[in-house]
Amino acid sequence: MTNETSDRWALPLLHAGQAQKEMMHNEALARIDMLLHGIAESADLSVPPITPVAGQCWIVAAGASGGWAGQEGHVAFWTDGGWRFVAPRGGLRLAVADRGHTIVHDGTAWRDSAVRGDGFFVDGQQIVGARRSAIAAPAGGTTVDVESRGAIAAILAALQGHGLISM
């Protein structure tokens, strides 16, 4: 930690006898407002939006230009005083409105969350998807195999008991 900012999020610190402490305090509050329970409008824009609303955030995409030049990967926050930027740290998690799920910074780059509204993903590949229609209990067939039907019924009952399927 320097004498000027906090270690983790570089929040400006106050000093004894400092003039205009309210400016440093307000800057710290703006950064906290940006990161606490954060939601970004998008993580795919490389140029600032034309008409941002105070309080909105974006994660600056690669190839940033204009008011975001040199801020790739940073969290951009629009305030009445203009753009404020915070460099992400490992573990920062933000919901992204246009993606419908969270992304997390792993200390190197932003990664899509494994758990999303449309399923569970590993290395970008969907492993578990949306719930499908119910599986019917075993019935019919030309050969009756009581042991097989009993095993299938037990598996279906276990899955249903854990809320993984409906019947």
Side-chain angles (χ1 to χ4, degrees):
M1 179 169 83
T2 70
N3 291 331
E4 302 296 319
T5 61
S6 67
D7 289 329
R8 189 154 173 82
W9 292 113
L11 300 175
L13 300 176
L14 302 178
H15 303 284
Q18 176 181 347
Q20 299 181 342
K21 289 182 181 177
E22 67 277 1
M23 291 178 63
M24 302 303 274
H25 179 74
N26 289 344
E27 178 64 22
L29 289 177
R31 286 175 176 250
I32 290 169
D33 188 36
M34 176 189 335
L35 298 171
L36 185 65
H37 303 294
I39 183 166
E41 302 301 315
S42 180
D44 301 311
L45 295 180
S46 59
V47 295
I50 296 169
T51 55
V53 174
Q56 288 182 315
C57 290
W58 285 264
I59 297 169
V60 181
S65 62
W68 288 357
Q71 301 293 335
E72 288 89 351
H74 287 64
V75 180
F77 181 67
W78 179 253
T79 68
D80 290 333
W83 289 108
R84 292 205 168 42
F85 299 95
V86 171
R89 300 202 31 134
L92 178 60
R93 181 179 304 273
L94 296 175
V96 181
D98 68 354
R99 292 188 184 187
H101 61 269
T102 61
I103 62 175
V104 63
H105 199 275
D106 65 6
T108 304
W110 289 100
R111 308 278 184 220
D112 288 307
S113 176
V115 179
R116 306 180 203 169
D118 60 343
F120 182 78
F121 293 75
V122 174
D123 294 329
Q125 182 174 351
Q126 188 174 19
I127 304 301
V128 178
R131 182 173 282 187
R132 299 197 179 198
S133 59
I135 299 172
T142 57
T143 304
V144 177
D145 186 338
V146 176
E147 289 178 14
S148 294
R149 288 178 190 233
I152 292 170
I155 292 169
L156 291 174
L159 291 171
Q160 185 178 19
H162 287 72
L164 298 174
I165 65 167
S166 60
M167 293 187 70

